[in-house]
Amino acid sequence: MAKITLRQLLDDAAERGYGVPAFNINNMEQGLAIMEAADTVDAPVIIQASRGARSYAGDIMLSKMVDALVEMFPHIPLCLHQDHGNDEATCATAIQHGFTSVMMDGSLHPDGKTVSDYGYNIDITRRVAEMAHWIGASVEGELGVLGSLEHGSGEKEDGHGAEGTLGHDLLLTDPDQAIDFVRATGVDALAIAMGTSHGAYKFTRKPDGEILAMRVVEEIHRRLPTTHLVMHGSSSVPQPLQDMFNVFGGEMPQTWGVPVEEIVRGIKHGVRKVNIDTDCRLAMTAAFRKVALQSKSEFDPRKFLKPAMDALRELCRERFEQFGTAGNASRLKPITLADMARRYRSGALDPKIEHITQAA
Ligand SMILES: [Zn+2]
């Protein structure tokens, strides 16, 4: 089976009311664990790579690894997505290396830390969307800046994240602006800011509506019912994983992530892509710690990596089931990039928001 585009996958998810977790990878073990989990429950897959992952593994290694996963799991549709592209070149070279989808994060300047203005975001995102759609690839844009509503800042993920303290005007996506942004840029999916942030330290307490603004998701979905919404920073940082990490010698301060039930609520309101990285990292490194502490003479890296893959596979399988992704892989028949490009050219995939505008 060929790779699938984000647009086709999320269109299907919207039609059937499920969400798709997007897991970050840097290496073979993560790729295998994610695909084995998907295979177990018949789930389509979004694998994403950050700029950090591309420089860690190298573009050629990453793209050949994903080609191998596609060949090994021919019945599992796989979307390869650029996470947080910072400029046109990052997005163009991702597509050149076989990515079927890119995120153009124009909420920040290309340095990945300076907050941009709205005009800049529209211009660069529209340019990337035009370019990607010429060849049939999909584009995710971002409106609003990711960061904590508790303290007004965000943690960097692989060096990417706003610096300084931000106001709620930036940390919460404006629903009116979202309509304008989607219309002006033609993005296939929209990442929104609603209190989630990257890294393990998202909330200092179990989040409520004050610090995790699910109402923003619901309001944007009400006004843009056909736009696929994306939740970033949506690891749940499960307590058992934190405990395991600490029991085996780790020193992770108590933290709270995004509860799975809040994500499931989001999926009922247009969230189709859910970015999860921290949970995957924590599942693997907690397993490393256990082996390191319990088997002090062990020096075969596979003895560390196998339990880490087991833990990651289990985490991914849980999310596929919780988000309703399970059971949807074998039914999907990937549309080629060339065919997707034709559909974009015909206007069939343009944002459908005219009637919403009139109603408002
Ligand atoms: Zn993100």
Side-chain angles (χ1 to χ4, degrees), residues 24 48 83-84 103 105 140 142 146 157 160 191 196-198 230-234 273 275:
N24 288 73
Q48 54 186 15
D83 192 19
H84 289 286
M103 175 188 194
D105 179 359
E140 172 186 337
E142 172 163 331
L146 295 170
E157 180 182 58
H160 187 101
T196 62
S197 54
H198 293 136
V230 182
M231 280 175 71
H232 279 243
S234 291
K273 174 171 177 277
N275 289 9

Short mmCIF file of all heavy atoms in Angstrom, two decimals, residues 24 48 83-84 103 105 140 142 146 157 160 191 196-198 230-234 273 275, ligand 1:
data_model
loop_
_atom_site.label_atom_id
_atom_site.label_comp_id
_atom_site.label_asym_id
_atom_site.label_seq_id
_atom_site.Cartn_x
_atom_site.Cartn_y
_atom_site.Cartn_z
N ASN A 24 5.46 10.97 17.11
CA ASN A 24 6.76 11.39 16.56
C ASN A 24 7.74 10.23 16.59
O ASN A 24 7.77 9.45 17.54
CB ASN A 24 7.34 12.53 17.41
CG ASN A 24 6.59 13.83 17.19
OD1 ASN A 24 5.47 13.99 17.65
ND2 ASN A 24 7.19 14.75 16.49
N GLN A 48 5.02 11.34 12.51
CA GLN A 48 5.55 12.65 12.18
C GLN A 48 6.99 12.79 12.64
O GLN A 48 7.43 12.15 13.59
CB GLN A 48 4.66 13.77 12.70
CG GLN A 48 4.31 13.74 14.17
CD GLN A 48 3.30 14.85 14.52
OE1 GLN A 48 2.66 15.44 13.65
NE2 GLN A 48 3.17 15.14 15.80
N ASP A 83 6.40 17.73 11.27
CA ASP A 83 5.88 18.41 12.46
C ASP A 83 6.57 19.78 12.57
O ASP A 83 7.79 19.88 12.47
CB ASP A 83 6.20 17.53 13.68
CG ASP A 83 5.48 17.98 14.94
OD1 ASP A 83 4.49 18.71 14.83
OD2 ASP A 83 5.92 17.57 16.04
N HIS A 84 5.79 20.83 12.78
CA HIS A 84 6.32 22.19 12.97
C HIS A 84 7.37 22.61 11.94
O HIS A 84 8.50 22.96 12.30
CB HIS A 84 6.90 22.37 14.38
CG HIS A 84 5.85 22.41 15.44
ND1 HIS A 84 5.04 23.51 15.64
CD2 HIS A 84 5.45 21.49 16.34
CE1 HIS A 84 4.19 23.25 16.63
NE2 HIS A 84 4.41 22.03 17.06
N MET A 103 3.40 20.43 8.20
CA MET A 103 2.85 21.53 8.99
C MET A 103 3.69 22.75 8.69
O MET A 103 4.92 22.71 8.81
CB MET A 103 2.92 21.22 10.48
CG MET A 103 2.47 22.42 11.32
SD MET A 103 2.75 22.18 13.07
CE MET A 103 1.73 23.51 13.72
N ASP A 105 4.16 25.99 10.42
CA ASP A 105 3.84 26.72 11.65
C ASP A 105 4.27 28.17 11.50
O ASP A 105 5.40 28.54 11.83
CB ASP A 105 4.53 26.07 12.85
CG ASP A 105 4.24 26.82 14.15
OD1 ASP A 105 3.52 27.85 14.11
OD2 ASP A 105 4.72 26.38 15.21
N GLU A 140 -0.96 21.42 7.23
CA GLU A 140 -1.54 21.83 8.51
C GLU A 140 -0.98 23.21 8.83
O GLU A 140 0.23 23.43 8.73
CB GLU A 140 -1.12 20.82 9.60
CG GLU A 140 -1.47 21.21 11.03
CD GLU A 140 -0.89 20.23 12.06
OE1 GLU A 140 -0.60 19.06 11.73
OE2 GLU A 140 -0.70 20.67 13.21
N GLU A 142 -1.09 26.67 11.69
CA GLU A 142 -1.33 26.91 13.13
C GLU A 142 -1.74 28.35 13.35
O GLU A 142 -1.11 29.28 12.85
CB GLU A 142 -0.09 26.60 13.96
CG GLU A 142 -0.30 27.05 15.42
CD GLU A 142 0.68 26.44 16.41
OE1 GLU A 142 1.14 25.32 16.17
OE2 GLU A 142 0.95 27.11 17.43
N LEU A 146 1.21 28.09 20.93
CA LEU A 146 1.12 27.07 21.98
C LEU A 146 1.82 27.53 23.24
O LEU A 146 2.92 28.05 23.20
CB LEU A 146 1.79 25.78 21.49
CG LEU A 146 1.12 25.09 20.31
CD1 LEU A 146 2.01 23.97 19.78
CD2 LEU A 146 -0.24 24.54 20.71
N GLU A 157 10.03 22.20 22.15
CA GLU A 157 10.06 20.81 21.74
C GLU A 157 11.07 20.71 20.61
O GLU A 157 10.87 21.32 19.55
CB GLU A 157 8.67 20.37 21.23
CG GLU A 157 8.62 18.93 20.79
CD GLU A 157 7.24 18.56 20.26
OE1 GLU A 157 6.78 19.21 19.31
OE2 GLU A 157 6.62 17.66 20.81
N HIS A 160 11.89 24.02 19.30
CA HIS A 160 10.84 24.82 18.69
C HIS A 160 9.83 25.25 19.75
O HIS A 160 9.27 24.42 20.44
CB HIS A 160 10.14 24.00 17.60
CG HIS A 160 9.16 24.78 16.78
ND1 HIS A 160 9.45 25.25 15.52
CD2 HIS A 160 7.91 25.19 17.06
CE1 HIS A 160 8.41 25.92 15.06
NE2 HIS A 160 7.46 25.89 15.97
N ALA A 191 -4.14 23.63 13.40
CA ALA A 191 -3.71 23.48 14.80
C ALA A 191 -4.15 24.71 15.57
O ALA A 191 -3.96 25.84 15.10
CB ALA A 191 -2.20 23.32 14.88
N THR A 196 -2.79 23.80 25.65
CA THR A 196 -1.84 22.69 25.67
C THR A 196 -0.46 23.23 25.31
O THR A 196 -0.33 24.25 24.65
CB THR A 196 -2.21 21.58 24.67
OG1 THR A 196 -2.18 22.11 23.35
CG2 THR A 196 -3.59 21.02 24.97
N SER A 197 0.55 22.55 25.78
CA SER A 197 1.91 22.95 25.46
C SER A 197 2.77 21.70 25.31
O SER A 197 2.36 20.60 25.69
CB SER A 197 2.47 23.87 26.55
OG SER A 197 2.34 23.25 27.81
N HIS A 198 3.96 21.89 24.76
CA HIS A 198 4.85 20.74 24.51
C HIS A 198 5.54 20.31 25.81
O HIS A 198 5.54 21.02 26.79
CB HIS A 198 5.89 21.12 23.46
CG HIS A 198 5.30 21.35 22.10
ND1 HIS A 198 5.65 22.40 21.29
CD2 HIS A 198 4.35 20.66 21.41
CE1 HIS A 198 4.97 22.35 20.16
NE2 HIS A 198 4.17 21.31 20.21
N VAL A 230 -6.50 20.24 14.98
CA VAL A 230 -5.35 19.50 15.48
C VAL A 230 -5.02 19.97 16.89
O VAL A 230 -4.91 21.17 17.13
CB VAL A 230 -4.11 19.71 14.58
CG1 VAL A 230 -2.93 18.89 15.09
CG2 VAL A 230 -4.42 19.37 13.13
N MET A 231 -4.90 19.03 17.81
CA MET A 231 -4.45 19.34 19.17
C MET A 231 -2.98 18.98 19.30
O MET A 231 -2.60 17.82 19.15
CB MET A 231 -5.26 18.54 20.20
CG MET A 231 -6.63 19.13 20.52
SD MET A 231 -7.62 18.07 21.64
CE MET A 231 -6.76 18.29 23.20
N HIS A 232 -2.15 20.00 19.55
CA HIS A 232 -0.73 19.73 19.82
C HIS A 232 -0.54 19.49 21.31
O HIS A 232 -1.44 19.74 22.12
CB HIS A 232 0.11 20.93 19.37
CG HIS A 232 0.39 20.91 17.90
ND1 HIS A 232 1.66 20.80 17.39
CD2 HIS A 232 -0.45 20.97 16.85
CE1 HIS A 232 1.58 20.80 16.06
NE2 HIS A 232 0.32 20.90 15.71
N GLY A 233 0.64 19.02 21.66
CA GLY A 233 0.99 18.85 23.08
C GLY A 233 -0.03 18.03 23.84
O GLY A 233 -0.40 18.36 24.96
N SER A 234 -0.52 16.94 23.24
CA SER A 234 -1.64 16.22 23.84
C SER A 234 -1.26 14.88 24.43
O SER A 234 -2.04 13.93 24.41
CB SER A 234 -2.77 16.08 22.82
OG SER A 234 -3.33 17.37 22.59
N LYS A 273 -6.66 15.17 14.57
CA LYS A 273 -5.24 14.77 14.69
C LYS A 273 -4.79 15.19 16.09
O LYS A 273 -5.02 16.34 16.50
CB LYS A 273 -4.42 15.47 13.60
CG LYS A 273 -2.91 15.28 13.69
CD LYS A 273 -2.23 15.83 12.42
CE LYS A 273 -0.72 15.73 12.47
NZ LYS A 273 -0.11 16.84 13.21
N ASN A 275 -1.52 15.21 18.58
CA ASN A 275 -0.06 15.03 18.61
C ASN A 275 0.41 14.51 19.96
O ASN A 275 0.13 15.10 21.00
CB ASN A 275 0.64 16.36 18.32
CG ASN A 275 0.48 16.79 16.87
OD1 ASN A 275 -0.28 16.19 16.11
ND2 ASN A 275 1.21 17.81 16.51
ZN ZN B 1 3.43 20.76 18.35
#
